[in-house]
Amino acid sequence: MAEYAAEGKSPEVLFWVGCSGSFDERAKKITKAFASLLQKARIDFAILGQEEGCTGDPAKRAGNEFLFQMQAIMNIEVLNSYEIKKIVTACPHCFNTLKNEYPQLGGEYEVLHHAQFLQNLLYEGRLKVEGGNFKGKKIVFHDPCYLGRANDQYEAPRQVLSALEADLIEMKRCRQNGLCCGAGGAQMFKEPEKGIKDINIERTEEALDKSPNIIATGCPFCNTMLTDGIKVKEKSLQVFVKDLAELLNEAIN
Amino acid sequence: MEYLRSILFLAFAIGGIGLFVRNLLRIRRNILLGKKSNRSDQPSVRLKLMARIAIGQGKMMAKPVAGFFHIIVYLGFLIVNVELIEIFIDGIFGTHRYLGHIIPTQLYNFVTATLDFLAVSVMISVSVFFIRRNITKVPRLNSRDLIGWPKIDGNLILIIEFVMMFALLSMNSADINLQLLDHRETLGYFPISHLILGNAFSGLSVHSLIIIEKSSWWFHYLGILFFMNYLYFSKHLHILFAFPNTYFSNLNKKGQLNSLEAITKEVRSMMDPNIDPYAATPEGTIPEKFGASDATDLSWIQLLNAYTCTECGRCTSNCPANLTGKKLSPRKIMMSVRDRIEDIGKNINKNGIFIEDGKQLLGDYITSEELWACTTCNACVESCPVLIDPLSIIIDLRRYLVMEQSAAPQELNMMMANMENNSAPWQFSQSDRANWIHE
């Protein structure tokens, strides 16, 4: 972004990569897939790079409002200094925080989750699926809580996936009734409380009940949790957990 | 004699309604022990929401069996309230079915027949509910949250409703037989009562029929007064509070947690290079507590939520933590908040002001283990038929644990330290953020 600013230009959209998308080995693949899609659609985009910081979502949900606001205000100062108008991100947690919690602190932007952004690109014809790589494949979509229930976005990811011409199936608990992957509310960063089962195992079992070829997600945290679940269930070789951006990127040459 | 009956009727009415109003005012006082929160914006949106969710039972059918029978009981309840008008007129003036004399016969017949039909439907519905609670043992109605009074309460409500409806039926059946004996004019139409109890009463004398009719009428009337005052002790309070609770519910996106203004002020002043770091805080200002440790630290909306909770357990049965055996139950969170604010209320009733009782919501009623199990997924909020928000309470209690007590789990402390140092929850350098481009 700094380079854009130095040239006095402003990009069409800012791609907010997020901590997971920047550092997590698995999530980086999602980041690259989405960036590749942006390039394929000839979108003029920028990232903040080293100037990006955690949105503060896990801190806020863990109860550390203080730390959250420190993070948020620092990010808002950076975003506002570049006069950012439109943001897209592949992380529903970043999406939710930027969209719903930054405005109160002076950060007002048009924020889109990558499912919404990709849905628009497909609709406008800026991205076209050819070849039908996924024909006959069974894909089951896991609704991320922070995209679905938190922001009522159920259709955009399904629209994107349906462009793949695959067989899109639903789990018993989907949409409003979707079951959490177990990572939200800062659970990603700690061991779960004692119980009879881990939440990601419960969710993985539910997905496997539908005997899919692919479990699609729209959140790097859900991706990690379900990938772990698949490993525990020893299904890593039969079933793949993929972000919808990765799937779409594979379908477009 | 007639006078005496009217006076007795009025005495019961004044006593019953007076007690009811006193209890309601106490609940109002308890709720207002909570912190201020403004939910008076967008009245038309709020009214529509209340109309859809509370009046229209908009979320009940998510569970079709419970939803269907609940709607019948709800309709029965509404129509019985129409009947109350007549009960009051007859009770005060010693008349018999006064409305039957002043409104068109067809309309009166329609109303009485509807009521008659609903009375039986309600009896069937509450029987289904009783079976679900005690025989088929629907899991969410038999979990450990409900041991003790909540379970008795649930059953008592069903029994009371059954008996009350039975009183209506027996009153109507006796009336039909009196009408058939030509003892009184024909008023109202009671097909179901006729079918069910009519024949059983048909051989009785006029005297016995009048006794049955009058005693059923009195039983029903006193039952209503009793039930009204029973509400205070019961989860059944939702029949009143569902309306304000949906009206004042959260209109923002579920993912948006509230922002603490006191903290914004502090963070801004920390980041402001022009501020005098040695400036003394003005005298007399008490530093605000961050988050909530007791029920009175919660907002009045959250306390209203607690009084509205019907203990139906839809929240808990959808909670991922609860489903996988963790201690967290959103229903229990709501019940604990009500228990605590009730204990505070009783303390005030006894002492005039609240005298420290060595207890608080956090720790004595709700443990931190429950709080840390929450994934903030909003399943509980989504599933509540009366728009209660248990998540906001969990977050406020977490805020106290973290910001006042530094009592977060160790791993979360590490996560937060990373965030402070590297602006990421993991221990990676911020300068490596864009490395993925070249990998």
Side-chain angles (χ1 to χ4, degrees), chain A residues 28 52 54 61 69 96 101 105 146 149 187 190-191 193 196-197, chain B residues 255 257 264 268 324 326 372 374 376-377 398 411 423 430 433 439:
Chain A
K28 275 196 241 178
E52 188 186 288
C54 175
R61 273 138 193 91
Q69 292 201 11
N96 176 67
E101 289 166 353
L105 301 169
Y146 274 84
R149 267 193 300 269
Q187 298 291 344
K190 65 184 255 300
E191 284 299 312
E193 273 44 51
I196 46 174
K197 197 192 260 186
Chain B
L257 298 182
T264 312
R268 291 232 186 263
T324 52
K326 281 115 190 142
W372 290 119
C374 174
T376 72
C377 76
R398 277 188 180 181
E411 298 145 300
S423 242
Q430 195 164 5
R433 269 198 178 258
E439 284 173 10

PDB file of all heavy atoms in Angstrom, chain A residues 28 52 54 61 69 96 101 105 146 149 187 190-191 193 196-197, chain B residues 255 257 264 268 324 326 372 374 376-377 398 411 423 430 433 439:
ATOM      1  N   LYS A  28      -1.818 -19.503   4.446  1.00  0.00           N
ATOM      2  CA  LYS A  28      -1.099 -18.749   3.409  1.00  0.00           C
ATOM      3  C   LYS A  28      -1.514 -19.224   2.020  1.00  0.00           C
ATOM      4  O   LYS A  28      -1.535 -18.445   1.069  1.00  0.00           O
ATOM      5  CB  LYS A  28       0.411 -18.934   3.594  1.00  0.00           C
ATOM      6  CG  LYS A  28       1.017 -17.962   4.587  1.00  0.00           C
ATOM      7  CD  LYS A  28       2.520 -17.937   4.436  1.00  0.00           C
ATOM      8  CE  LYS A  28       3.182 -18.379   5.710  1.00  0.00           C
ATOM      9  NZ  LYS A  28       4.643 -18.422   5.635  1.00  0.00           N
ATOM     10  N   GLU A  52       0.054  -3.822   8.496  1.00  0.00           N
ATOM     11  CA  GLU A  52      -1.174  -4.448   8.995  1.00  0.00           C
ATOM     12  C   GLU A  52      -0.904  -5.040  10.380  1.00  0.00           C
ATOM     13  O   GLU A  52       0.157  -5.596  10.618  1.00  0.00           O
ATOM     14  CB  GLU A  52      -1.598  -5.553   8.014  1.00  0.00           C
ATOM     15  CG  GLU A  52      -2.949  -6.157   8.313  1.00  0.00           C
ATOM     16  CD  GLU A  52      -3.260  -7.361   7.400  1.00  0.00           C
ATOM     17  OE1 GLU A  52      -3.523  -7.143   6.204  1.00  0.00           O
ATOM     18  OE2 GLU A  52      -3.220  -8.486   7.901  1.00  0.00           O
ATOM     19  N   CYS A  54      -2.997  -7.251  13.814  1.00  0.00           N
ATOM     20  CA  CYS A  54      -4.198  -8.041  14.141  1.00  0.00           C
ATOM     21  C   CYS A  54      -5.377  -7.094  14.375  1.00  0.00           C
ATOM     22  O   CYS A  54      -5.215  -6.048  14.999  1.00  0.00           O
ATOM     23  CB  CYS A  54      -3.938  -8.870  15.391  1.00  0.00           C
ATOM     24  SG  CYS A  54      -5.388  -9.764  15.969  1.00  0.00           S
ATOM     25  N   ARG A  61     -12.831 -10.844  22.120  1.00  0.00           N
ATOM     26  CA  ARG A  61     -13.688 -11.962  22.524  1.00  0.00           C
ATOM     27  C   ARG A  61     -13.176 -12.684  23.759  1.00  0.00           C
ATOM     28  O   ARG A  61     -13.934 -13.329  24.463  1.00  0.00           O
ATOM     29  CB  ARG A  61     -13.900 -12.899  21.345  1.00  0.00           C
ATOM     30  CG  ARG A  61     -15.084 -12.420  20.542  1.00  0.00           C
ATOM     31  CD  ARG A  61     -14.942 -12.456  19.064  1.00  0.00           C
ATOM     32  NE  ARG A  61     -16.027 -11.672  18.473  1.00  0.00           N
ATOM     33  CZ  ARG A  61     -15.952 -10.371  18.193  1.00  0.00           C
ATOM     34  NH1 ARG A  61     -14.850  -9.699  18.426  1.00  0.00           N
ATOM     35  NH2 ARG A  61     -16.966  -9.715  17.695  1.00  0.00           N
ATOM     36  N   GLN A  69      -8.994  -2.396  21.590  1.00  0.00           N
ATOM     37  CA  GLN A  69      -9.111  -1.008  21.115  1.00  0.00           C
ATOM     38  C   GLN A  69      -7.763  -0.422  20.726  1.00  0.00           C
ATOM     39  O   GLN A  69      -7.668   0.375  19.800  1.00  0.00           O
ATOM     40  CB  GLN A  69      -9.814  -0.149  22.159  1.00  0.00           C
ATOM     41  CG  GLN A  69     -11.283  -0.533  22.307  1.00  0.00           C
ATOM     42  CD  GLN A  69     -12.130   0.582  22.915  1.00  0.00           C
ATOM     43  OE1 GLN A  69     -11.682   1.714  23.048  1.00  0.00           O
ATOM     44  NE2 GLN A  69     -13.356   0.245  23.282  1.00  0.00           N
ATOM     45  N   ASN A  96     -15.754  -9.396  10.221  1.00  0.00           N
ATOM     46  CA  ASN A  96     -16.736  -8.968  11.211  1.00  0.00           C
ATOM     47  C   ASN A  96     -16.239  -7.768  12.013  1.00  0.00           C
ATOM     48  O   ASN A  96     -16.963  -6.809  12.233  1.00  0.00           O
ATOM     49  CB  ASN A  96     -17.044 -10.136  12.156  1.00  0.00           C
ATOM     50  CG  ASN A  96     -17.981  -9.738  13.263  1.00  0.00           C
ATOM     51  OD1 ASN A  96     -19.144  -9.436  13.031  1.00  0.00           O
ATOM     52  ND2 ASN A  96     -17.467  -9.671  14.493  1.00  0.00           N
ATOM     53  N   GLU A 101     -17.183  -3.508  14.141  1.00  0.00           N
ATOM     54  CA  GLU A 101     -16.650  -2.959  15.386  1.00  0.00           C
ATOM     55  C   GLU A 101     -15.725  -1.776  15.195  1.00  0.00           C
ATOM     56  O   GLU A 101     -15.498  -1.008  16.128  1.00  0.00           O
ATOM     57  CB  GLU A 101     -15.988  -4.091  16.198  1.00  0.00           C
ATOM     58  CG  GLU A 101     -17.062  -5.023  16.763  1.00  0.00           C
ATOM     59  CD  GLU A 101     -16.549  -6.347  17.303  1.00  0.00           C
ATOM     60  OE1 GLU A 101     -15.352  -6.641  17.139  1.00  0.00           O
ATOM     61  OE2 GLU A 101     -17.365  -7.077  17.904  1.00  0.00           O
ATOM     62  N   LEU A 105     -15.138   3.231  16.430  1.00  0.00           N
ATOM     63  CA  LEU A 105     -13.858   3.817  16.812  1.00  0.00           C
ATOM     64  C   LEU A 105     -13.307   4.719  15.702  1.00  0.00           C
ATOM     65  O   LEU A 105     -12.143   5.091  15.705  1.00  0.00           O
ATOM     66  CB  LEU A 105     -12.853   2.705  17.135  1.00  0.00           C
ATOM     67  CG  LEU A 105     -13.285   1.764  18.272  1.00  0.00           C
ATOM     68  CD1 LEU A 105     -12.375   0.559  18.349  1.00  0.00           C
ATOM     69  CD2 LEU A 105     -13.287   2.499  19.613  1.00  0.00           C
ATOM     70  N   TYR A 146     -18.787 -16.544  12.040  1.00  0.00           N
ATOM     71  CA  TYR A 146     -18.635 -15.098  11.923  1.00  0.00           C
ATOM     72  C   TYR A 146     -19.016 -14.562  10.545  1.00  0.00           C
ATOM     73  O   TYR A 146     -19.113 -13.364  10.336  1.00  0.00           O
ATOM     74  CB  TYR A 146     -17.231 -14.661  12.348  1.00  0.00           C
ATOM     75  CG  TYR A 146     -17.232 -14.472  13.845  1.00  0.00           C
ATOM     76  CD1 TYR A 146     -17.054 -15.542  14.707  1.00  0.00           C
ATOM     77  CD2 TYR A 146     -17.534 -13.231  14.392  1.00  0.00           C
ATOM     78  CE1 TYR A 146     -17.146 -15.380  16.076  1.00  0.00           C
ATOM     79  CE2 TYR A 146     -17.626 -13.047  15.753  1.00  0.00           C
ATOM     80  CZ  TYR A 146     -17.429 -14.122  16.598  1.00  0.00           C
ATOM     81  OH  TYR A 146     -17.535 -13.957  17.948  1.00  0.00           O
ATOM     82  N   ARG A 149     -24.028 -16.726  11.065  1.00  0.00           N
ATOM     83  CA  ARG A 149     -24.877 -16.156  12.118  1.00  0.00           C
ATOM     84  C   ARG A 149     -24.502 -14.725  12.476  1.00  0.00           C
ATOM     85  O   ARG A 149     -25.373 -13.882  12.656  1.00  0.00           O
ATOM     86  CB  ARG A 149     -24.800 -17.028  13.360  1.00  0.00           C
ATOM     87  CG  ARG A 149     -25.867 -18.075  13.426  1.00  0.00           C
ATOM     88  CD  ARG A 149     -25.935 -18.679  14.816  1.00  0.00           C
ATOM     89  NE  ARG A 149     -24.675 -19.299  15.161  1.00  0.00           N
ATOM     90  CZ  ARG A 149     -24.389 -20.581  14.926  1.00  0.00           C
ATOM     91  NH1 ARG A 149     -25.265 -21.366  14.374  1.00  0.00           N
ATOM     92  NH2 ARG A 149     -23.227 -21.085  15.270  1.00  0.00           N
ATOM     93  N   GLN A 187     -10.821 -19.368  21.187  1.00  0.00           N
ATOM     94  CA  GLN A 187     -10.575 -20.784  21.519  1.00  0.00           C
ATOM     95  C   GLN A 187      -9.413 -21.341  20.707  1.00  0.00           C
ATOM     96  O   GLN A 187      -8.769 -22.300  21.122  1.00  0.00           O
ATOM     97  CB  GLN A 187     -11.826 -21.638  21.233  1.00  0.00           C
ATOM     98  CG  GLN A 187     -13.046 -21.280  22.035  1.00  0.00           C
ATOM     99  CD  GLN A 187     -12.921 -21.613  23.508  1.00  0.00           C
ATOM    100  OE1 GLN A 187     -12.063 -22.369  23.916  1.00  0.00           O
ATOM    101  NE2 GLN A 187     -13.770 -21.027  24.321  1.00  0.00           N
ATOM    102  N   LYS A 190      -6.148 -21.660  22.712  1.00  0.00           N
ATOM    103  CA  LYS A 190      -6.059 -22.378  23.982  1.00  0.00           C
ATOM    104  C   LYS A 190      -6.609 -23.792  23.847  1.00  0.00           C
ATOM    105  O   LYS A 190      -7.301 -24.094  22.875  1.00  0.00           O
ATOM    106  CB  LYS A 190      -6.816 -21.615  25.074  1.00  0.00           C
ATOM    107  CG  LYS A 190      -8.314 -21.538  24.819  1.00  0.00           C
ATOM    108  CD  LYS A 190      -9.014 -20.703  25.869  1.00  0.00           C
ATOM    109  CE  LYS A 190      -9.791 -21.532  26.873  1.00  0.00           C
ATOM    110  NZ  LYS A 190     -10.844 -22.375  26.324  1.00  0.00           N
ATOM    111  N   GLU A 191      -6.283 -24.602  24.825  1.00  0.00           N
ATOM    112  CA  GLU A 191      -6.862 -25.949  24.860  1.00  0.00           C
ATOM    113  C   GLU A 191      -8.332 -25.813  25.250  1.00  0.00           C
ATOM    114  O   GLU A 191      -8.677 -24.954  26.062  1.00  0.00           O
ATOM    115  CB  GLU A 191      -6.143 -26.805  25.919  1.00  0.00           C
ATOM    116  CG  GLU A 191      -4.772 -27.297  25.490  1.00  0.00           C
ATOM    117  CD  GLU A 191      -4.820 -28.180  24.253  1.00  0.00           C
ATOM    118  OE1 GLU A 191      -5.658 -29.105  24.215  1.00  0.00           O
ATOM    119  OE2 GLU A 191      -4.032 -27.926  23.308  1.00  0.00           O
ATOM    120  N   GLU A 193     -11.899 -26.571  27.155  1.00  0.00           N
ATOM    121  CA  GLU A 193     -12.263 -27.007  28.502  1.00  0.00           C
ATOM    122  C   GLU A 193     -12.548 -28.506  28.462  1.00  0.00           C
ATOM    123  O   GLU A 193     -12.754 -29.083  27.395  1.00  0.00           O
ATOM    124  CB  GLU A 193     -13.524 -26.273  28.964  1.00  0.00           C
ATOM    125  CG  GLU A 193     -13.335 -24.930  29.633  1.00  0.00           C
ATOM    126  CD  GLU A 193     -12.338 -24.016  28.970  1.00  0.00           C
ATOM    127  OE1 GLU A 193     -12.442 -23.805  27.748  1.00  0.00           O
ATOM    128  OE2 GLU A 193     -11.442 -23.521  29.668  1.00  0.00           O
ATOM    129  N   ILE A 196     -16.553 -34.227  26.714  1.00  0.00           N
ATOM    130  CA  ILE A 196     -16.454 -35.599  26.235  1.00  0.00           C
ATOM    131  C   ILE A 196     -15.828 -35.663  24.846  1.00  0.00           C
ATOM    132  O   ILE A 196     -15.439 -36.724  24.378  1.00  0.00           O
ATOM    133  CB  ILE A 196     -17.849 -36.287  26.194  1.00  0.00           C
ATOM    134  CG1 ILE A 196     -18.892 -35.369  25.556  1.00  0.00           C
ATOM    135  CG2 ILE A 196     -18.291 -36.710  27.584  1.00  0.00           C
ATOM    136  CD1 ILE A 196     -20.241 -36.014  25.345  1.00  0.00           C
ATOM    137  N   LYS A 197     -15.739 -34.518  24.191  1.00  0.00           N
ATOM    138  CA  LYS A 197     -15.273 -34.519  22.811  1.00  0.00           C
ATOM    139  C   LYS A 197     -14.828 -33.115  22.459  1.00  0.00           C
ATOM    140  O   LYS A 197     -15.281 -32.153  23.074  1.00  0.00           O
ATOM    141  CB  LYS A 197     -16.476 -34.906  21.932  1.00  0.00           C
ATOM    142  CG  LYS A 197     -16.143 -35.359  20.542  1.00  0.00           C
ATOM    143  CD  LYS A 197     -17.403 -35.421  19.709  1.00  0.00           C
ATOM    144  CE  LYS A 197     -17.944 -36.839  19.576  1.00  0.00           C
ATOM    145  NZ  LYS A 197     -19.075 -36.922  18.651  1.00  0.00           N
TER     146      LYS A 197
ATOM    147  N   GLY B 255     -22.600 -10.384  15.338  1.00  0.00           N
ATOM    148  CA  GLY B 255     -21.151 -10.431  15.531  1.00  0.00           C
ATOM    149  C   GLY B 255     -20.577  -9.194  16.202  1.00  0.00           C
ATOM    150  O   GLY B 255     -19.418  -9.176  16.589  1.00  0.00           O
ATOM    151  N   LEU B 257     -19.877  -6.957  19.056  1.00  0.00           N
ATOM    152  CA  LEU B 257     -19.927  -6.823  20.512  1.00  0.00           C
ATOM    153  C   LEU B 257     -19.901  -5.337  20.855  1.00  0.00           C
ATOM    154  O   LEU B 257     -19.343  -4.536  20.109  1.00  0.00           O
ATOM    155  CB  LEU B 257     -18.732  -7.521  21.153  1.00  0.00           C
ATOM    156  CG  LEU B 257     -18.631  -9.031  20.931  1.00  0.00           C
ATOM    157  CD1 LEU B 257     -17.421  -9.588  21.674  1.00  0.00           C
ATOM    158  CD2 LEU B 257     -19.889  -9.746  21.403  1.00  0.00           C
ATOM    159  N   THR B 264     -12.320   3.438  25.503  1.00  0.00           N
ATOM    160  CA  THR B 264     -11.953   4.262  24.346  1.00  0.00           C
ATOM    161  C   THR B 264     -11.291   5.551  24.823  1.00  0.00           C
ATOM    162  O   THR B 264     -10.258   5.973  24.297  1.00  0.00           O
ATOM    163  CB  THR B 264     -13.211   4.606  23.523  1.00  0.00           C
ATOM    164  OG1 THR B 264     -13.957   3.414  23.322  1.00  0.00           O
ATOM    165  CG2 THR B 264     -12.841   5.204  22.186  1.00  0.00           C
ATOM    166  N   ARG B 268      -7.485   6.444  23.905  1.00  0.00           N
ATOM    167  CA  ARG B 268      -7.209   7.668  23.146  1.00  0.00           C
ATOM    168  C   ARG B 268      -6.247   8.576  23.907  1.00  0.00           C
ATOM    169  O   ARG B 268      -5.331   9.151  23.319  1.00  0.00           O
ATOM    170  CB  ARG B 268      -8.507   8.423  22.849  1.00  0.00           C
ATOM    171  CG  ARG B 268      -9.390   7.700  21.859  1.00  0.00           C
ATOM    172  CD  ARG B 268      -9.804   8.615  20.696  1.00  0.00           C
ATOM    173  NE  ARG B 268     -10.759   7.924  19.837  1.00  0.00           N
ATOM    174  CZ  ARG B 268     -10.434   7.299  18.718  1.00  0.00           C
ATOM    175  NH1 ARG B 268      -9.173   7.282  18.301  1.00  0.00           N
ATOM    176  NH2 ARG B 268     -11.348   6.678  17.994  1.00  0.00           N
ATOM    177  N   THR B 324     -20.624 -30.902  23.372  1.00  0.00           N
ATOM    178  CA  THR B 324     -19.448 -31.754  23.477  1.00  0.00           C
ATOM    179  C   THR B 324     -19.022 -31.944  24.938  1.00  0.00           C
ATOM    180  O   THR B 324     -17.874 -32.231  25.226  1.00  0.00           O
ATOM    181  CB  THR B 324     -18.279 -31.165  22.661  1.00  0.00           C
ATOM    182  OG1 THR B 324     -18.098 -29.797  23.047  1.00  0.00           O
ATOM    183  CG2 THR B 324     -18.561 -31.220  21.173  1.00  0.00           C
ATOM    184  N   LYS B 326     -18.910 -29.888  27.636  1.00  0.00           N
ATOM    185  CA  LYS B 326     -18.303 -28.888  28.518  1.00  0.00           C
ATOM    186  C   LYS B 326     -19.343 -28.347  29.492  1.00  0.00           C
ATOM    187  O   LYS B 326     -20.542 -28.478  29.274  1.00  0.00           O
ATOM    188  CB  LYS B 326     -17.699 -27.746  27.695  1.00  0.00           C
ATOM    189  CG  LYS B 326     -16.338 -28.125  27.113  1.00  0.00           C
ATOM    190  CD  LYS B 326     -16.364 -28.188  25.635  1.00  0.00           C
ATOM    191  CE  LYS B 326     -15.102 -28.791  25.055  1.00  0.00           C
ATOM    192  NZ  LYS B 326     -15.366 -29.632  23.893  1.00  0.00           N
ATOM    193  N   TRP B 372     -14.988 -19.736  29.975  1.00  0.00           N
ATOM    194  CA  TRP B 372     -13.905 -19.931  29.012  1.00  0.00           C
ATOM    195  C   TRP B 372     -14.231 -20.988  27.971  1.00  0.00           C
ATOM    196  O   TRP B 372     -13.516 -21.153  26.986  1.00  0.00           O
ATOM    197  CB  TRP B 372     -12.590 -20.250  29.727  1.00  0.00           C
ATOM    198  CG  TRP B 372     -12.076 -19.048  30.449  1.00  0.00           C
ATOM    199  CD1 TRP B 372     -11.867 -18.928  31.790  1.00  0.00           C
ATOM    200  CD2 TRP B 372     -11.734 -17.783  29.879  1.00  0.00           C
ATOM    201  NE1 TRP B 372     -11.428 -17.659  32.090  1.00  0.00           N
ATOM    202  CE2 TRP B 372     -11.333 -16.935  30.931  1.00  0.00           C
ATOM    203  CE3 TRP B 372     -11.733 -17.266  28.582  1.00  0.00           C
ATOM    204  CZ2 TRP B 372     -10.930 -15.615  30.732  1.00  0.00           C
ATOM    205  CZ3 TRP B 372     -11.330 -15.962  28.371  1.00  0.00           C
ATOM    206  CH2 TRP B 372     -10.946 -15.143  29.444  1.00  0.00           C
ATOM    207  N   CYS B 374     -16.826 -20.888  26.068  1.00  0.00           N
ATOM    208  CA  CYS B 374     -17.674 -20.301  25.023  1.00  0.00           C
ATOM    209  C   CYS B 374     -16.861 -19.977  23.770  1.00  0.00           C
ATOM    210  O   CYS B 374     -15.788 -19.386  23.855  1.00  0.00           O
ATOM    211  CB  CYS B 374     -18.334 -19.032  25.550  1.00  0.00           C
ATOM    212  SG  CYS B 374     -19.258 -18.126  24.295  1.00  0.00           S
ATOM    213  N   THR B 376     -18.185 -18.105  21.354  1.00  0.00           N
ATOM    214  CA  THR B 376     -18.855 -16.880  20.861  1.00  0.00           C
ATOM    215  C   THR B 376     -19.508 -17.102  19.496  1.00  0.00           C
ATOM    216  O   THR B 376     -19.539 -16.210  18.661  1.00  0.00           O
ATOM    217  CB  THR B 376     -17.894 -15.668  20.753  1.00  0.00           C
ATOM    218  OG1 THR B 376     -16.989 -15.858  19.659  1.00  0.00           O
ATOM    219  CG2 THR B 376     -17.097 -15.456  22.018  1.00  0.00           C
ATOM    220  N   CYS B 377     -20.031 -18.304  19.281  1.00  0.00           N
ATOM    221  CA  CYS B 377     -20.530 -18.651  17.945  1.00  0.00           C
ATOM    222  C   CYS B 377     -21.935 -18.127  17.689  1.00  0.00           C
ATOM    223  O   CYS B 377     -22.435 -18.215  16.575  1.00  0.00           O
ATOM    224  CB  CYS B 377     -20.515 -20.157  17.754  1.00  0.00           C
ATOM    225  SG  CYS B 377     -21.855 -21.019  18.617  1.00  0.00           S
ATOM    226  N   ARG B 398     -16.191 -12.235  31.164  1.00  0.00           N
ATOM    227  CA  ARG B 398     -14.805 -12.455  30.729  1.00  0.00           C
ATOM    228  C   ARG B 398     -14.002 -11.161  30.852  1.00  0.00           C
ATOM    229  O   ARG B 398     -12.837 -11.166  31.216  1.00  0.00           O
ATOM    230  CB  ARG B 398     -14.776 -12.901  29.265  1.00  0.00           C
ATOM    231  CG  ARG B 398     -15.014 -14.379  29.055  1.00  0.00           C
ATOM    232  CD  ARG B 398     -14.759 -14.690  27.571  1.00  0.00           C
ATOM    233  NE  ARG B 398     -14.955 -16.100  27.266  1.00  0.00           N
ATOM    234  CZ  ARG B 398     -14.777 -16.611  26.045  1.00  0.00           C
ATOM    235  NH1 ARG B 398     -14.420 -15.839  25.039  1.00  0.00           N
ATOM    236  NH2 ARG B 398     -14.953 -17.903  25.826  1.00  0.00           N
ATOM    237  N   GLU B 411      -2.657 -19.699  28.290  1.00  0.00           N
ATOM    238  CA  GLU B 411      -2.429 -19.648  26.840  1.00  0.00           C
ATOM    239  C   GLU B 411      -2.988 -18.361  26.236  1.00  0.00           C
ATOM    240  O   GLU B 411      -2.425 -17.829  25.284  1.00  0.00           O
ATOM    241  CB  GLU B 411      -3.107 -20.839  26.158  1.00  0.00           C
ATOM    242  CG  GLU B 411      -2.560 -22.177  26.601  1.00  0.00           C
ATOM    243  CD  GLU B 411      -3.662 -23.215  26.656  1.00  0.00           C
ATOM    244  OE1 GLU B 411      -4.633 -23.004  27.423  1.00  0.00           O
ATOM    245  OE2 GLU B 411      -3.562 -24.217  25.948  1.00  0.00           O
ATOM    246  N   SER B 423       1.675  -7.551  17.267  1.00  0.00           N
ATOM    247  CA  SER B 423       0.444  -7.259  16.550  1.00  0.00           C
ATOM    248  C   SER B 423      -0.130  -8.496  15.855  1.00  0.00           C
ATOM    249  O   SER B 423      -0.790  -8.399  14.829  1.00  0.00           O
ATOM    250  CB  SER B 423       0.688  -6.155  15.516  1.00  0.00           C
ATOM    251  OG  SER B 423      -0.113  -5.059  15.843  1.00  0.00           O
ATOM    252  N   GLN B 430       6.206  -8.705  12.948  1.00  0.00           N
ATOM    253  CA  GLN B 430       5.313  -7.981  12.047  1.00  0.00           C
ATOM    254  C   GLN B 430       5.986  -7.728  10.691  1.00  0.00           C
ATOM    255  O   GLN B 430       5.326  -7.628   9.663  1.00  0.00           O
ATOM    256  CB  GLN B 430       4.890  -6.638  12.676  1.00  0.00           C
ATOM    257  CG  GLN B 430       3.701  -6.025  11.965  1.00  0.00           C
ATOM    258  CD  GLN B 430       3.020  -4.936  12.776  1.00  0.00           C
ATOM    259  OE1 GLN B 430       3.489  -4.562  13.838  1.00  0.00           O
ATOM    260  NE2 GLN B 430       1.910  -4.424  12.280  1.00  0.00           N
ATOM    261  N   ARG B 433       5.129 -10.109   7.718  1.00  0.00           N
ATOM    262  CA  ARG B 433       3.724 -10.271   7.323  1.00  0.00           C
ATOM    263  C   ARG B 433       3.520 -10.534   5.840  1.00  0.00           C
ATOM    264  O   ARG B 433       2.562 -11.193   5.455  1.00  0.00           O
ATOM    265  CB  ARG B 433       2.918  -9.036   7.719  1.00  0.00           C
ATOM    266  CG  ARG B 433       2.321  -9.175   9.087  1.00  0.00           C
ATOM    267  CD  ARG B 433       1.210  -8.199   9.329  1.00  0.00           C
ATOM    268  NE  ARG B 433       0.675  -8.443  10.656  1.00  0.00           N
ATOM    269  CZ  ARG B 433      -0.447  -9.099  10.898  1.00  0.00           C
ATOM    270  NH1 ARG B 433      -1.183  -9.552   9.926  1.00  0.00           N
ATOM    271  NH2 ARG B 433      -0.835  -9.317  12.137  1.00  0.00           N
ATOM    272  N   GLU B 439       6.959 -16.583  -1.268  1.00  0.00           N
ATOM    273  CA  GLU B 439       7.139 -18.014  -0.984  1.00  0.00           C
ATOM    274  C   GLU B 439       6.634 -18.882  -2.116  1.00  0.00           C
ATOM    275  O   GLU B 439       5.700 -18.506  -2.812  1.00  0.00           O
ATOM    276  CB  GLU B 439       6.416 -18.367   0.322  1.00  0.00           C
ATOM    277  CG  GLU B 439       7.204 -17.894   1.523  1.00  0.00           C
ATOM    278  CD  GLU B 439       6.431 -18.078   2.833  1.00  0.00           C
ATOM    279  OE1 GLU B 439       5.374 -18.737   2.828  1.00  0.00           O
ATOM    280  OE2 GLU B 439       6.904 -17.549   3.843  1.00  0.00           O
TER     281      GLU B 439
END
